[in-house]
Amino acid sequence: MRFTSEQRLDDGVLEREFTLGEIPGLLWTPASASASAPAPLILLGHPPLGLRKMYPRLVARARHSVADGFATATIELPGSGDRPRWPAAEQARADLRRAMEAGEPVSDEIVDALVLPLVDKAVPEWQAALDALLSLPEIGGPVGYSGGVISIGTRLAVVEPRIAAAVLFAGSFVPRAMFEEARQVTVPLHVLLQWDDEGNDRQTALDLFDAFGSREKTLHANMGGHTGVPQFAADSAARFFTRHLK
Amino acid sequence: MRFTSEQRLDDGVLEREFTLGEIPGLLWTPASASASAPAPLILLGHPPLGLRKMYPRLVARARHSVADGFATATIELPGSGDRPRWPAAEQARADLRRAMEAGEPVSDEIVDALVLPLVDKAVPEWQAALDALLSLPEIGGPVGYSGGVISIGTRLAVVEPRIAAAVLFAGSFVPRAMFEEARQVTVPLHVLLQWDDEGNDRQTALDLFDAFGSREKTLHANMGGHTGVPQFAADSAARFFTRHLK
């Protein structure tokens, strides 16, 4: 992990860009974090649109987490931003566009091709990022995952024992195979659903929520489209992390 | 409205029993409430099991609301506690018991007979209670309704303009006619659903949530049975009232 730039945001948050091998990432830490008072960590999940495009929304979420006393980090997803594409993903994206433009249902094959390789590639990268981040003296555990892609968060919650709680955003296609993995999740979950999310199937989201094996799981459904999560819902998710990670 | 007894609970909450005509009720007020600083009001809804039986749960909810600065009141439902039964309701209850013991689905006719007359009778009584409570110098607006029976809360939110926000507990049978009324609700709603509520149909609850006309409505679904609402979910509902009524 190599830090490539550093700036202090106006509210005292330290923002650092880093690279982890070929993977760019961002780390935000509270001024109060130090080797003697290491901060718990939240990993910020996001859709595969590129960190640069997502930056305004990510930094807003990070400021909120840092204000609550969490170190907060994210990495570029495979195939996003300046990272190399791979042909099968490009093909899946083209198939998805074609199906949606034709008003056809999105087939299981397209969803699998779109999401499963992304999950397979992204999860080990998040784990590598976790290794690197937890080796910093100012960051300690426990660790939470927050956001989308919900299949990435689900897999990570199953395979990575350092994830102690997760806020999952139900706003992306879910391969059928993920339902089996969802049953294996046991950490406390807080699932956010936008009731009128134009690109997301509500019933699939409800079925996935039902499938999660966690004894403590909460669904917060709110009005509005994909990007319209109300501030009070974000505040509520933040309280979930404070309850479980501090 | 006639106060019949009064006691100060150990945490400084003033609890008063009252009667409103033939209807018994309970009022809890914060020590800070006065004519110069009247408290907003929360009406505590509850299932038709009788105030005496419900008292431990009601007083726990009331203490929470009063600690948040709300006056909090409830009244006995028609046909509950010591209030006179009416034959059609007794018949509907017997039909319900028979259907459930036989493992049969509960028909629309039974649900209608069970719930609609209760709503018709209870809502004007809540409105009369509201008149009386708001005439007390230490109570002001705005007013929230909190709890079940969800059909009573729904009707009250439609016909009573003094209700500014409602926390509705999706844990009781819903007559089909209530879906039309739900569409006419416009106040902010916070709907609580126990995902594994043994006596409640989850899909009906989700459909009713979908039907509510309110622009701001939030569904909080949690694990556990009918009476297992977790403390953090109650805290979240309390914050909803603080956000909308203070």
Side-chain angles (χ1 to χ4, degrees), chain A residues 196 222-224 230 232, chain B residues 183 185-189 209 212-218:
Chain A
D196 300 311
N222 287 289
M223 291 306 98
F232 63 79
Chain B
R183 287 186 190 89
V185 176
T186 56
V187 296
L189 291 183
F209 176 71
F212 284 119
S214 305
R215 210 155 56 98
E216 185 190 324
K217 55 180 177 178
T218 299

Side-chain angles (χ1 to χ4, degrees), chain B residues 153-208:
Chain B
T154 300
R155 168 81 56 85
L156 203 54
V158 172
V159 302
E160 177 48 69
R162 290 172 293 184
I163 300 288
V167 170
L168 299 178
F169 182 61
S172 52
F173 293 109
V174 180
R176 303 226 58 83
M178 291 310 299
F179 281 79
E180 197 41 60
E181 297 193 40
R183 287 186 190 89
Q184 299 167 41
V185 176
T186 56
V187 296
L189 291 183
H190 182 107
V191 179
L192 285 171
L193 170 64
Q194 286 299 94
W195 200 248
D196 300 311
D197 190 337
E198 50 290 341
N200 186 36
D201 184 71
R202 188 194 296 162
Q203 192 57 51
T204 303
L206 294 170
D207 292 345
L208 187 66

Side-chain angles (χ1 to χ4, degrees), chain A residues 32-56:
Chain A
S32 63
S34 68
S36 60
L41 175 64
I42 292 175
L43 302 176
L44 283 192
H46 52 86
L49 300 173
L51 281 189
R52 213 161 290 143
K53 178 159 179 193
M54 288 300 296
Y55 178 80

Side-chain angles (χ1 to χ4, degrees), chain B residues 42-89:
Chain B
I42 292 175
L43 302 176
L44 283 192
H46 52 86
L49 301 174
L51 280 189
R52 212 162 290 143
K53 177 159 180 194
M54 288 300 297
Y55 179 81
R57 278 189 271 165
L58 288 167
V59 76
R61 290 163 62 197
R63 280 178 200 267
H64 197 312
S65 298
V66 171
D68 288 342
F70 294 99
T72 309
T74 193
I75 52 174
E76 188 71 270
L77 288 172
S80 290
D82 296 331
R83 300 191 62 194
R85 273 63 178 151
W86 63 97

